[in-house]
Amino acid sequence: MTVRQLRVRRRRLAHSLPDVEGLIAGSVVDQGRRCGKEGCRCASGELHGPYTYVVLPRAGGRTRTVYVPAATADAVRAGAAISAVVRDALEEISAINIELLARGELR
């Protein structure tokens, strides 16, 4: 791409970023759980749930898992989707800026 095309692409990416007010920087997962009671159906493999959780990054590569009530699951999924869109756009903007820097055209 030319320098002009790179700058236009960067500008379009920046302007296309969604509203980040509802952003949740995490991954949404659905999991079944065991309750631990003897004789419960989950003891024989039929898990309770599925329940929704959001897995949040922490320092040192660790994660934190937070239960998501069913009433808010759609909002949390939407927030995580926004996070993915923003992350992808920022990675591409950064790559464009690195290319412009390498060409001596970063402004």
Side-chain angles (χ1 to χ4, degrees):
M1 295 177 100
T2 67
V3 169
R4 182 175 181 274
Q5 289 171 325
L6 288 169
R7 287 186 179 138
V8 167
R9 177 72 181 146
R10 180 180 63 183
R11 189 174 306 113
R12 283 188 182 143
L13 284 166
H15 288 296
S16 71
L17 289 173
D19 179 12
V20 296
E21 188 173 348
L23 184 142
I24 295 178
S27 302
V28 179
V29 296
D30 291 316
Q31 294 179 337
R33 295 287 185 178
R34 294 183 200 276
C35 68
K37 295 179 185 174
E38 284 186 45
C40 181
R41 63 185 171 93
C42 68
S44 62
E46 188 180 336
L47 301 179
H48 297 283
Y51 299 109
T52 303
Y53 298 87
V54 62
V55 181
L56 305 166
R58 294 172 96 179
R62 298 184 53 158
T63 60
R64 175 178 166 211
T65 303
V66 178
Y67 171 72
V68 177
T72 60
D74 288 341
V76 170
R77 287 183 201 287
I82 292 169
S83 176
V85 168
V86 169
R87 185 176 47 251
D88 291 346
L90 292 177
E91 285 177 10
E92 189 170 350
I93 289 170
S94 178
I96 290 169
N97 285 335
I98 290 168
E99 178 62 27
L100 289 171
L101 177 64
R103 296 181 188 190
E105 297 288 340
L106 183 63
R107 292 191 257 162

